[in-house]
Amino acid sequence: MARTSLPGDARAPSAARRFVRSVLAGWNAHAMVTDDATLLVSELVTNAVVHAGTSVDLECRLDPAPGGSLVVEVTDHHPAREFRACPRPAAGDREGAAHGGQGLRLVAELAETWGTAYRRTDKTVWFHLPTSPAAEHSALSEQALLRDLRVAEILAPGTRPEPAGRRAGDRSHHRALSFLAEASELLAGQFDEDMVASLATQLAVPRLADWCAVWLDVEGAPGTIRPVPRLARVWHARENRIEPLRLALQRTPPVLPAAGRAVPWPQSQYGRCRADGPHTTHAPEGPHGPDGPVDGTALACRLVAGGRGIGTLLLGRSAPAAMAGDVASLVEDFARRVAQALASARQYTRQATISRILQRGLLPRGVAEIPGVDKAVVYEPRGDASAGGDFYDVFGVGGGRWCFALGDVCGSGPEAAVTTGFVRPWLRLLAKEGYGVADVLDRLNRLVCEEAAEAAESGAAPRFLSLLYGELVPHGKGVRCTLASAGHPLPLLLRPDGSVRSAAAPQTLLGVVEDVGYGSETFDLTSGDTLLCVTDGVTERKSGNRLFDDGDGLAAALAGCTGLTAEGVAGRIRRAVHGFSRTPPDDDLALLVLRAE
């Protein structure tokens, strides 16, 4: 067996081809097997890079069974994005085979069997090739000739004869619409502008051009000098020309009018671009290869979305003839889709940045050290970048007292974050004013009710709050703990003997009833006692129709943590919650562990 990992970029296909040829040469594989395997691996790795954008794992092995075959697996690490299988067109439907998706069609044509395996963290496309093709696929046999013709149709669809009566204009229009539809599908939902630029260049080459480049405008602060555009991606049909082309293009970014029209662009300003590097010249020539100059033409198009420039798209061909008007129109349509995808990616990035900044402001900058108490916190807001409705805090209030809180605002997102934004400072203020646990909850409840009434007057939905709040006072024999639960999952107390019990009684949510009176409970944490506090993202974690805490599931998980440190308990409970279902958690998840030393 031979394995390798490949980067998720333009280097992957060529590296995969070299790896397969080297491995099969060492195994003395038949030349036809080597050629077929190299072709299929190149297509599948390219698919993985374009569609998944992750690193790619490649594995080759020989099936030990009698008459066994070569088994090849191509694995990417983006399980949410599936390869789009392009079915073989029906008889007479030649247009359907003329566009993209040839990777899996080639696999289906050449492999004796193939399939796709989806897992939580990755997906794999695998295929088997016979290791002794000479008998079954003789180069002179009719079957092999038919197979080669079918493969040629897939690889070079433009060379096939068209049905009688179909006009060239209709064919071009249909292909243009199909290309634009595929571009829209691939670009939609991309949240990274560099990934959009990468996909755009690989879509354009070689269908529209022999090479393509994308510049992205760098957003600067208002009133500052406009920064130089960034050359985000360069792609060439011949891989050995990519880097020399990049060096030549990055000297002078195109300067175009604001209108998103495709215009001829002189390549002479970029100079010579040989395989061994760029060389300045004023000759009106295009990119150069190792065998000498190749005259060419180029089109440049400003990327504009919502009336605002985002970047520039540049496409070049090695042919000296100017690109036809229909090509320019297609480039403009393509550029509009690229611009819209870039605008969406930038908007997402801005919103994610705001959410991260907001999230940092809602959480404590640090967790206070408490004498005689080992502690651990797990906090995972849903969607990573969003401001979650769960919050926690551990802080000192002076006089040998420390307080802790774990809360959950009804709902999620920015609305829940607003409630969190005023609850946590008020909680700290009341605690530092010297109020006891029950009094803090009484006063905080009235504040939340007042906010809910104001929200109702303005037409906004009121926000309720569940809260577990406690006070710790270390003393000579341990730590005295006073706590109360307002509509929150009850805390659990683990004793050194493995017994588990609830450490508080259930009470009403904050913000529901204004005149409710809250109570508290006091007990001692002695050496080895562990207090586990969680939000409902733990207790209500779903797997089908079951919840994690059904049948006291959380207590059972905690009972197995006897003797662990606070970090050990937190890690084990977290792993149990995540492993309870194959799907990712659909709610914020937070837990706080306090263990008397």
Side-chain angles (χ1 to χ4, degrees), residues 229 247 350 380:
L247 295 174
R350 283 192 290 268
E380 296 179 352

Side-chain angles (χ1 to χ4, degrees), residues 81 156 249 320 355 430 449 467 469 566:
R81 181 172 293 278
L249 292 177
S355 292
L430 291 170
C449 286
L467 180 68
Y469 172 66

Side-chain angles (χ1 to χ4, degrees), residues 18 151 301 306-307 362 471 543:
R18 291 193 299 268
V151 172
C301 187
L362 296 175
E471 179 182 286
S543 178

Side-chain angles (χ1 to χ4, degrees), residues 450-469:
E450 290 174 4
E451 288 290 329
E454 293 179 2
E457 291 177 0
S458 63
R463 289 286 164 184
F464 307 122
L465 174 72
S466 75
L467 180 68
L468 179 66
Y469 172 66

Side-chain angles (χ1 to χ4, degrees), residues 325-396:
D326 57 345
V327 174
S329 298
L330 180 57
V331 169
E332 291 173 2
D333 287 337
F334 176 58
R336 280 192 286 271
R337 286 158 173 79
V338 174
Q340 189 58 51
L342 287 169
S344 298
R346 286 191 169 183
Q347 180 65 21
Y348 174 83
T349 300
R350 283 192 290 268
Q351 292 176 347
T353 301
I354 293 172
S355 292
R356 284 192 295 269
I357 294 173
L358 177 60
Q359 185 68 65
R360 287 196 296 267
L362 296 175
L363 296 177
R365 295 184 179 180
V367 177
E369 295 293 332
I370 306 174
V373 177
D374 180 23
K375 60 192 178 306
V377 175
V378 172
Y379 183 78
E380 296 179 352
R382 181 179 62 178
D384 295 329
S386 65
D390 291 3
F391 66 94
Y392 68 92
D393 204 354
V394 180
F395 56 95

Side-chain angles (χ1 to χ4, degrees), residues 71-434:
V71 182
V72 178
E73 296 182 355
V74 177
T75 301
D76 67 67
H77 302 280
H78 195 329
R81 181 172 293 278
E82 301 179 1
F83 285 159
R84 295 177 300 110
C86 182
R88 185 179 177 86
D93 181 10
R94 298 292 183 178
E95 288 296 334
H99 318 286
Q102 65 264 34
L104 294 185
R105 290 180 54 212
L106 283 171
V107 172
E109 190 65 51
L110 295 179
E112 61 180 1
T113 182
W114 70 282
T116 307
Y118 296 95
R119 292 175 287 271
R120 288 182 60 190
T121 59
D122 54 48
K123 66 176 178 294
T124 298
V125 178
W126 55 267
F127 62 85
H128 292 203
L129 287 175
T131 54
S132 301
E136 185 177 353
H137 300 289
S138 170
L140 300 178
S141 69
E142 181 180 357
Q143 182 180 1
L145 289 175
L146 290 175
R147 187 205 68 157
D148 291 343
L149 287 174
R150 289 194 297 268
V151 172
E153 286 182 352
I154 296 171
L155 291 174
T159 62
R160 299 193 303 273
E162 300 292 343
R166 185 183 292 273
R167 293 177 299 175
D170 294 339
R171 294 195 301 272
S172 298
H173 180 67
H174 182 83
R175 288 171 179 164
L177 292 178
S178 180
F179 168 75
L180 293 174
E182 181 179 3
S184 298
E185 180 182 351
L186 283 176
L187 295 172
Q190 295 295 336
F191 299 142
D192 181 85
E193 62 179 26
D194 287 320
M195 177 59 70
V196 173
S198 177
L199 288 173
T201 56
Q202 294 180 64
L203 282 166
V205 177
R207 300 183 186 182
L208 300 181
D210 295 321
W211 57 268
C212 180
V214 173
W215 280 265
L216 296 178
D217 294 351
V218 180
E219 295 180 306
T224 60
I225 299 176
R226 188 174 183 179
V228 177
R230 174 172 66 91
L231 183 58
R233 185 66 171 174
V234 176
W235 193 256
H236 199 293
R238 296 182 61 177
E239 296 174 17
N240 65 328
R241 297 190 182 183
I242 293 176
E243 192 56 30
L245 181 61
R246 179 192 302 277
L247 295 174
L249 292 177
Q250 66 186 5
R251 298 172 182 169
T252 310
V255 179
L256 298 177
R261 300 294 302 274
V263 296
W265 191 255
Q267 295 182 7
S268 58
Q269 66 166 315
Y270 300 121
R272 290 176 175 265
C273 179
R274 294 185 180 274
D276 57 351
H279 304 272
T280 303
T281 180
H282 296 290
E285 297 169 340
H288 288 56
D291 300 325
V294 178
D295 293 336
T297 57
L299 282 178
C301 187
R302 190 80 174 126
L303 298 171
V304 180
R308 184 176 181 180
I310 298 177
T312 302
L313 177 71
L314 184 64
L315 303 98
R317 287 183 177 177
S318 58
M323 298 187 191
D326 57 345
V327 174
S329 298
L330 180 57
V331 169
E332 291 173 2
D333 287 337
F334 176 58
R336 280 192 286 271
R337 286 158 173 79
V338 174
Q340 189 58 51
L342 287 169
S344 298
R346 286 191 169 183
Q347 180 65 21
Y348 174 83
T349 300
R350 283 192 290 268
Q351 292 176 347
T353 301
I354 293 172
S355 292
R356 284 192 295 269
I357 294 173
L358 177 60
Q359 185 68 65
R360 287 196 296 267
L362 296 175
L363 296 177
R365 295 184 179 180
V367 177
E369 295 293 332
I370 306 174
V373 177
D374 180 23
K375 60 192 178 306
V377 175
V378 172
Y379 183 78
E380 296 179 352
R382 181 179 62 178
D384 295 329
S386 65
D390 291 3
F391 66 94
Y392 68 92
D393 204 354
V394 180
F395 56 95
V397 294
R401 297 162 51 235
W402 283 263
C403 296
F404 64 93
L406 189 63
D408 184 3
V409 178
C410 176
S412 61
E415 296 84 0
V418 170
T419 303
T420 304
F422 85 84
V423 165
R424 196 171 65 84
W426 272 110
L427 187 65
R428 283 196 169 209
L429 179 61
L430 291 170
K432 290 182 179 181
E433 287 293 322

